[in-house]
């Protein structure tokens, strides 16, 4: 009886000893991974709104995400990205100390201002983000009546076909890399573009392809000369040699 009790105690001690060894092994393994997998090199792809340094600061911010495996697992398990203007991110481990972060930013075509906030919407008219300050290279839309403006929901406009015009103009501005401050729809729904000290009158049309294509050639020249005034393109047609520019003091 005493021998059986002794053997049981011995087995119990052995199991306890093995368990302690396993726990120590796990901690040692974790420590080794943390030490050797510390990120030294980060390659960032796809960010335009944020700088690479800003992405690094927002992503690599604690003991887990400073480790290549920890960072990878974090963004494998993360369902929602808590970084404004970022839709999702992929993390690829290049080596123990090197990772590649692929950033997929939310596509913004334009914004509207409502009650002191700027609401940014995508090509489908869905509001993707809001800020208290405007951001560069996203034109502000004015002169349009919106009936519904909720974050992550589609904008509802009062005028038929007006959103299609907004989208068409925004896509053309992006295509020709024109950086404008504002797209204004006048009372009669004719369009005026604003950039610095220059106003561009496009008039009221279904499409503005030819005008904006020509504008992409004229505007850099006018800006280089620091011109102030109105560029009248209301009656512009393809092949036309002259465009009226009304100087202002």
């Amino acid at each position: 009886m005493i021998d059986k009790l002794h053997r049981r105690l011995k087995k119990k001690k052995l199991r306890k000893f093995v368990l302690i060894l396993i726990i120590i092994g796990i901690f040692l393994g974790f420590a080794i991974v943390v030490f050797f997998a510390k990120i030294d090199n980060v390659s960032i792809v796809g960010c335009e709104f944020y700088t690479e340094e800003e992405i690094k600061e927002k992503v690599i911010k604690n003991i887990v995400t400073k480790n290549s495996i920890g960072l990878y697992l974090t963004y494998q398990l993360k369902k929602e990205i808590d970084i404004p203007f970022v839709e999702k991110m992929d993390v690829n481990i290049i080596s123990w100390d090197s990772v590649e972060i692929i950033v997929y930013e939310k596509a913004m075509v334009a914004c509207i201002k409502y009650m002191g906030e700027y609401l940014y919407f995508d090509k489908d008219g869905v509001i993707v983000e809001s800020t208290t300050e405007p951001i560069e290279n996203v034109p502000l839309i004015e002169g349009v009546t919106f009936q519904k403006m909720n974050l992550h929901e589609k904008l509802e406009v009062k005028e038929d076909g007006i959103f299609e015009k907004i989208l068409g103009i925004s896509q053309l501005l992006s295509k020709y890399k024109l950086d404008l401050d504002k797209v204004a729809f006048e009372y009669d729904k004719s369009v005026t573009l604003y950039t610095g000290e220059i106003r561009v009158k496009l008039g009221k049309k279904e499409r503005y392809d030819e005008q904006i294509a020509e504008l992409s050639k004229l505007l850099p020249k006018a800006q280089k000369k620091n011109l102030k005034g109105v560029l009248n393109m209301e009656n512009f047609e393809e092949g036309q040699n002259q465009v009226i520019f009304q100087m202002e003091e």
Side-chain angles (χ1 to χ4, degrees):
M1 186 74 178
I2 294 172
D3 288 341
K4 284 184 180 179
L5 184 61
H6 183 69
R7 282 196 297 271
R8 284 179 186 173
L9 288 171
K10 207 171 181 180
K11 285 182 180 178
K12 193 174 181 181
K13 285 181 180 179
L14 182 61
R15 284 197 297 269
K16 190 175 181 181
F17 179 70
V18 170
L19 181 62
I20 290 169
L21 284 179
I22 290 171
I23 293 170
I24 291 171
I26 290 170
F27 275 104
L28 281 174
F30 179 75
I32 289 167
V33 168
V34 168
F35 180 78
F36 286 103
K38 185 179 178 182
I39 298 171
D40 289 324
N41 303 301
V42 182
S43 171
I44 296 176
V45 180
C47 58
E48 292 183 9
F49 178 75
Y50 293 106
T51 65
E52 291 188 8
E53 285 303 317
E54 285 173 329
I55 290 293
K56 287 180 190 177
E57 288 176 7
K58 292 176 183 295
V59 173
I60 304 171
K61 55 187 178 181
N62 55 44
I63 191 170
V64 174
T65 53
K66 286 179 181 177
N67 175 276
S68 58
I69 296 172
L71 182 66
Y72 173 79
L73 291 175
T74 297
Y75 283 92
Q76 281 289 101
L77 300 172
K78 212 172 181 69
K79 292 183 179 179
E80 292 185 6
I81 304 298
D82 54 359
I83 302 174
F85 302 106
V86 174
E87 187 72 37
K88 67 172 186 171
M89 286 194 299
D90 289 335
V91 176
N92 299 321
I93 299 175
I94 307 302
S95 65
W96 282 108
D97 65 347
S98 302
V99 295
E100 177 189 58
I101 300 172
I102 304 172
V103 180
Y104 300 90
E105 293 182 336
K106 294 176 180 177
M108 300 173 290
V109 297
C111 72
I112 57 173
K113 190 174 182 181
Y114 178 69
M115 295 184 68
E117 288 210 350
Y118 294 87
L119 308 177
Y120 300 87
F121 56 90
D122 64 14
K123 62 181 179 62
D124 297 315
V126 176
I127 298 176
V128 294
E129 285 294 348
S130 66
T131 63
T132 54
E133 296 293 331
I135 62 173
E136 294 181 357
N137 304 323
V138 180
L140 175 67
I141 305 297
E142 286 189 352
V144 177
T145 302
F146 294 93
Q147 295 175 307
K148 186 179 178 183
M149 295 173 285
N150 295 325
L151 194 60
H152 307 309
E153 292 184 15
K154 190 170 183 177
L155 285 165
E156 289 184 8
V157 293
K158 189 174 181 180
E159 300 88 350
D160 291 335
I162 197 73
F163 182 73
E164 285 71 20
K165 281 191 179 182
I166 293 172
L167 178 58
I169 292 169
S170 299
Q171 288 176 332
L172 287 167
L173 296 179
S174 177
K175 176 182 177 180
Y176 291 105
K177 295 180 172 55
L178 288 171
D179 182 14
L180 298 181
D181 303 321
K182 185 168 65 177
V183 178
F185 286 82
E186 311 297 344
Y187 68 96
D188 61 351
K189 297 309 167 193
S190 61
V191 175
T192 302
L193 309 179
Y194 291 77
T195 175
E197 301 290 337
I198 298 173
R199 300 195 308 278
V200 183
K201 289 188 174 292
L202 297 182
K204 186 177 180 181
K205 295 178 180 291
E206 288 300 316
R207 299 180 63 86
Y208 298 92
D209 301 62
E210 295 173 1
Q211 290 163 294
I212 292 178
E214 184 66 20
L215 180 63
S216 68
K217 302 172 189 175
L218 298 175
L219 192 56
K221 297 176 182 176
Q223 290 172 328
K224 192 175 181 179
K225 294 179 181 179
N226 294 317
L227 297 181
K228 298 179 182 180
V230 179
L231 187 60
N232 195 325
M233 300 186 73
E234 290 180 291
N235 300 314
F236 175 83
E237 294 180 3
E238 189 176 8
Q240 190 173 322
N241 294 324
Q242 286 187 327
V243 176
I244 299 172
F245 189 91
Q246 298 170 322
M247 296 286 290
E248 292 181 354
E249 293 295 331

